[in-house]
Amino acid sequence: IPEAAGAECLEAIDLLKERYPEKVRKLIQKRPFIGGAMRDSIDSTLSSHIMFFSADIPVELACIPVMIEKAKQAPDTIIKISRWLEKNSFHGYRKGRKLFNHMAQKFIGFLFASRLTDFTAPILISPTAVYKSIIFRELNFPCLLESVIIPVRAGCRFEEIPAKTSPRSEGKSKNSVWQTMLYFRTALRVRLTPLKKLYKKQ
């Protein structure tokens, strides 16, 4: 729960906690920004698997049970969505923005010698241990790219499933063109950093 959480958000959390007291905990965000929220969440996760779901990239919720089922079938694999596996998955995207996204995916795929088709959609299910061992550096939106490319560098297994996306219907994204450009700096840093410096010492 960040400082900026609205009344309706807090009411929803309380409702879920009341309805599912054995499954829902309230956690106050301590580190700043979205990267801080992600790190706080990872540190507090007790279950075998963790799921990342970003409000900035709304997808059809039908992909969630598919991801869960695949994670059950392959518990050591990171299951993540891709907006590029099927045609016409981008709704409400400007052509220029979609072209830029496509070029960015190709560049990152080449940089990491990976066949993944979507590195920047941070919606995934993973073994929690994968993320508890990572040294995250980014506090702003490039942390979402870190969450994909560091496991890629480590040789983790991934499986992508198709998902359709559209612009968010409420609220305002805190991401920006400048934040998006910083993804390239993060990609180059992670690619050039020795792998042992990306992970905590065991």
Side-chain angles (χ1 to χ4, degrees), residues 27-119:
L27 302 172
I28 305 298
Q29 182 176 340
K30 297 177 181 178
R31 298 180 178 95
F33 311 122
I34 186 172
M38 186 171 72
R39 292 186 213 178
D40 288 349
S41 299
I42 292 169
D43 288 348
S44 300
T45 298
L46 304 176
S47 54
S48 65
H49 286 68
I50 190 169
M51 180 175 188
F52 296 162
F53 193 96
S54 170
D56 284 89
I57 307 181
V59 298
E60 54 183 359
L61 293 179
C63 71
I64 303 303
V66 176
M67 294 173 67
I68 292 172
E69 188 58 34
K70 286 187 174 293
K72 290 179 179 179
Q73 295 171 2
D76 295 327
T77 299
I78 298 175
I79 312 296
K80 72 179 300 297
I81 69 160
S82 172
R83 301 160 293 177
W84 289 102
L85 283 179
E86 293 182 350
K87 292 182 178 180
N88 303 317
S89 291
F90 289 83
H91 298 283
Y93 267 61
R94 297 188 301 274
K95 289 184 178 180
R97 182 184 177 192
K98 184 179 177 182
L99 177 62
F100 177 78
N101 186 287
H102 178 70
M103 294 173 63
Q105 306 298 346
K106 293 296 184 182
F107 171 76
I108 297 172
F110 172 78
L111 190 64
F112 288 88
S114 172
R115 294 184 178 181
L116 289 183
T117 62
D118 200 339
F119 295 87

